[in-house]
Amino acid sequence: MKSVAVLLAPGFEEGEAIVTVDILRRLNIKVQTIACGESREVVSYHAISVMADSTLQASLDRTFDAVVLPGGPEGSVNLAKSAEVIAFVRRHDEAGKYICPICSAAARVLGGNGLLKGRRYVCSGDLWKTISDGMYVDADVVEDGNLLSGRGLGKVFDFAFTLAARLQGDEALAREQASHIDYAWPPGRV
């Protein structure tokens, strides 16, 4: 069974995290929410307390098939400044695992730490203007090798279904589940 780590830092965008977890679990992909702090409890961007499955400290030696980095103005800043988060993401990237930022996380976490490595990506707003490490693409979901990035909260379903399909190696189950929740997927993507 494929496994995904969803990294939650204080101030994370809860919609991006929860919808992604929901879609992946609906498709029988094992998801572990990981708090990037001392406690499993993490407070989101809109002050919602969430109890993560584990902490990053307790998960440092684990390897997942994908690492999801939700955005949020505060959440992505907190992820970006954590040496443990950057080391965890770098290790997974070097192992060829999927690295999956959404919203501001592509620019702040990956771009801000030299982890885009020239790859194509999308992020929210105009954060891309400050990044020279990768190539910004104006699309909802962008795939480049093992980097799968999403524009933001408004496109989180496209992001989550695309990730699920890539992990499963087949779009059929994702299409079926999208139809079940009355969502048109896949959209056009780059």
Side-chain angles (χ1 to χ4, degrees), residues 40-63:
R40 286 180 41 220
E41 183 176 9
V42 188
V43 179
S44 74
Y45 181 51
H46 293 102
I48 299 170
S49 292
V50 173
M51 187 63 68
D53 299 317
S54 183
T55 63
L56 184 58
Q57 187 62 41
S59 305
L60 286 175
D61 294 334
R62 293 201 51 203
T63 299

Side-chain angles (χ1 to χ4, degrees), residues 109-133:
V109 182
L110 302 184
N113 287 285
L115 295 173
L116 285 171
K117 300 177 184 175
R119 293 176 284 193
R120 296 176 312 130
Y121 73 98
V122 67
C123 65
S124 61
D126 61 0
L127 291 171
W128 61 273
K129 292 179 178 179
T130 64
I131 303 301
S132 59
D133 182 30

Side-chain angles (χ1 to χ4, degrees), residues 125-170:
D126 61 0
L127 291 171
W128 61 273
K129 292 179 178 179
T130 64
I131 303 301
S132 59
D133 182 30
M135 183 187 328
Y136 175 79
V137 176
D138 186 12
D140 295 335
V141 176
V142 175
E143 301 177 64
D144 190 344
N146 66 321
L147 178 64
L148 189 152
S149 55
R151 183 179 302 278
L153 178 59
K155 302 302 178 182
V156 69
F157 282 94
D158 297 335
F159 171 82
F161 279 120
T162 301
L163 174 57
R166 296 306 169 262
L167 288 171
Q168 293 173 325
D170 183 359

Side-chain angles (χ1 to χ4, degrees), residues 1-117:
M1 177 184 282
K2 297 292 184 177
S3 63
V4 176
V6 178
L7 303 186
L8 305 177
F12 72 94
E13 169 50 60
E14 55 275 296
E16 293 167 2
I18 299 302
V19 170
T20 301
V21 170
D22 178 289
I23 296 303
L24 295 175
R25 286 184 177 169
R26 282 175 187 265
L27 289 159
N28 298 314
I29 295 169
K30 185 176 181 175
V31 178
Q32 182 160 6
T33 54
I34 298 178
C36 299
E38 294 179 19
S39 167
R40 286 180 41 220
E41 183 176 9
V42 188
V43 179
S44 74
Y45 181 51
H46 293 102
I48 299 170
S49 292
V50 173
M51 187 63 68
D53 299 317
S54 183
T55 63
L56 184 58
Q57 187 62 41
S59 305
L60 286 175
D61 294 334
R62 293 201 51 203
T63 299
F64 298 85
D65 296 297
V67 177
V68 173
L69 304 154
E74 299 164 10
S76 59
V77 167
N78 287 327
L79 287 172
K81 69 182 183 182
S82 168
E84 285 183 332
V85 166
I86 301 311
F88 187 80
V89 171
R90 181 175 284 119
R91 178 173 64 83
H92 280 81
D93 190 23
E94 289 171 355
K97 305 302 181 183
Y98 280 100
I99 305 302
C100 308
I102 188 165
C103 197
S104 58
R108 288 190 176 132
V109 182
L110 302 184
N113 287 285
L115 295 173
L116 285 171
K117 300 177 184 175

